[in-house]
Amino acid sequence: MSDPALPDLDPVIHAQARLRVVSALSQLHEDDRIVFPKLQEILRMTPGNLSVHLRKLEDAGYVEVQKTHRGRTPATLVRLTRRGRLAFDDYVTALRALLRPAKEP
Amino acid sequence: MASTDDESTVDPAEALRLIEHERANLERELTPDPRWMFWPWGLTWLIGFGLFFLRWGPDERVLVDLPDWLPTGALTVLLMAAGALSGIKGARSGGSISGPATDRGRMFGFSWSAGFGGLALVFSQFSDVIPGFRLGLLWGGGLVALIGTLFMAGGAVWNDRTTFLLGAWISVVNAAGVLAGPGWHSLIVAVAGGGGLLVAGLIGWLRLR
């Protein structure tokens, strides 16, 4: 990415594992949250692995992790924040911009 | 399991593919299998209204001399079974989400119960004043009209065209059946309505795969 005309890719999102997490979460409706085990199952990641990446995304303010109770059982709910959604949109726009010149002869 | 070398990056084209794949994958995982949502209802209508047609045929003819309780009992049991099945399957796939989507589903579920309960309460007031053949049309026509309307409303709630069109189809089929009269209504609803539900389940399933 040395070409100054090309946009930089957000390093928080531009790592395969976190890109997958953010992509999946972006498909939820705004304000909807998904339970941790289901997200883990859908992404086919280990709990430890998913936790590590969620923490990095949380530190960046892209993801909100909420510990709560459903009846008596504790539940962890995950959602993409507004900021995370914007960052994801910017990331996708940047990807498209990077691909465009390559398609021209 | 995915690779644990997680700070690895991919090129932009691959990243776009990955994004599309994960978005589609989440959608598929969270959508209840349309076969479980539609097929129990389709079979219920095919069998239940089929028995109604045999017992209370057109022009007050009795095609098969079934005991009175059999068609009504079978339809009631099948309706409850279909409701339970699709309710459980729907709740299971929606249970991992919390937020506006779940509230929407719950409110929609309650509106079904309210509609069925309300109609049953009204119709049961007329059991002794309307003759059997007409009574069947009142119950059958009324409940199927409600179901058609609720499918259309469900299509509006979830912005799902297949469900909306299915509701519209059921409403049209029901109106045609009511106009054709007792007996014919059961046959038309069994074949066209039940068949429509089976086809809708198949289309939904093929689309999700």
Side-chain angles (χ1 to χ4, degrees), chain B residues 78-162:
Chain B
L78 285 168
L79 278 175
M80 290 196 300
L85 258 181
S86 55
I88 289 168
K89 287 285 170 181
R92 191 171 295 166
S93 56
S96 40
I97 299 294
S98 108
T102 2
D103 299 341
R104 216 180 292 162
R106 202 173 301 128
M107 287 190 270
F108 191 62
F110 282 130
S111 63
W112 276 81
S113 313
F116 272 99
L119 279 190
L121 184 67
V122 174
F123 292 167
S124 61
Q125 307 302 309
F126 298 91
S127 315
D128 43 356
V129 288
I130 298 178
F133 280 88
R134 295 243 144 218
L135 194 63
L137 190 61
L138 180 67
W139 279 86
L143 291 181
V144 173
L146 174 68
I147 293 169
T149 309
L150 284 172
F151 270 112
M152 291 174 81
V157 172
W158 284 283
N159 196 17
D160 176 12
R161 202 168 276 272
T162 311

Side-chain angles (χ1 to χ4, degrees), chain A residues 14-18 20 23-24 26-28 31-35 38 42-44 49 53 56 70 88 95 99, chain B residues 1-2 6-10 12-13 15-16 18-19 22-23 25-27 29 95-101:
Chain A
H14 192 58
Q16 194 167 343
R18 287 193 296 276
R20 293 176 58 222
S23 301
S26 74
Q27 183 67 13
L28 293 176
D31 297 333
D32 274 348
R33 296 158 197 272
I34 185 166
V35 295
K38 186 71 186 177
I42 291 173
L43 291 171
R44 301 166 305 280
N49 200 4
H53 291 293
K56 286 183 183 164
R70 288 185 136 189
F88 177 69
L95 280 183
L99 283 171
Chain B
M1 286 297 153
D6 298 315
E7 295 301 324
S8 64
T9 56
V10 288
L16 279 178
L18 203 59
I19 290 169
E22 291 302 343
R23 287 174 65 96
N25 190 39
L26 181 120
E27 191 64 34
E29 290 278 344
S96 40
I97 299 294
S98 108

